[in-house]
Amino acid sequence: GTAPVYEGAQLVDGIDGASYGGDDPTASSGTLRYVRIWYGGGIIGADNEINGLTLAGVGSGTAIDHVEVAYSLDDGVELDGGTANLKHVSVLFVGDDALDVDLGYQGKLQFLYVM
């Protein structure tokens, strides 16, 4: 996404040449509603894993609600900077952090369930 990220543009883990971060806090990356992400994630190299759901520099114009992440190999939800607001999110039985917030994330989280 093109929302602000601490220390400027960054590269997306696991995707060569893909960058994120910018100066538009209200940027929209679309809609993610009523979605189940099960058995996601994966190891792609030494100390380099893919999460269930990674939101990298995603702006507040993005609609994210009623999302379930379960059985992810690494983090359930990772928020790398950005200003996205998440509502009604459940994260179940993941291999690392249920919720990983980094790089100056400035959004809002409401109605989270973690087990």
Side-chain angles (χ1 to χ4, degrees):
T2 57
V5 175
Y6 180 71
E7 294 185 346
Q10 305 284 323
L11 293 175
V12 177
D13 289 340
I15 304 175
D16 292 335
S19 64
Y20 63 94
D23 60 1
D24 184 2
T26 62
S28 174
S29 294
T31 300
L32 194 60
R33 250 186 206 131
Y34 294 97
V35 175
R36 295 174 75 189
I37 303 168
W38 279 35
Y39 300 102
I43 297 172
I44 56 174
D47 198 31
N48 192 4
E49 301 90 13
I50 297 175
N51 307 296
L53 174 62
T54 300
L55 300 172
V58 174
S60 63
T62 305
I64 303 170
D65 59 78
H66 295 90
V67 174
E68 177 182 78
V69 178
Y71 307 105
S72 175
L73 188 61
D74 195 37
D75 299 333
V77 176
E78 182 161 332
L79 298 158
D80 289 332
T83 56
N85 300 313
L86 285 69
K87 291 183 181 180
H88 306 281
V89 176
S90 64
V91 182
L92 311 164
F93 312 115
V94 297
D96 197 9
D97 304 317
L99 179 67
D100 189 353
V101 178
D102 203 357
L103 297 172
Y105 170 70
Q106 298 178 44
K108 298 174 186 171
L109 305 171
Q110 189 176 24
F111 309 119
L112 301 178
Y113 176 78
V114 173
M115 182 177 350

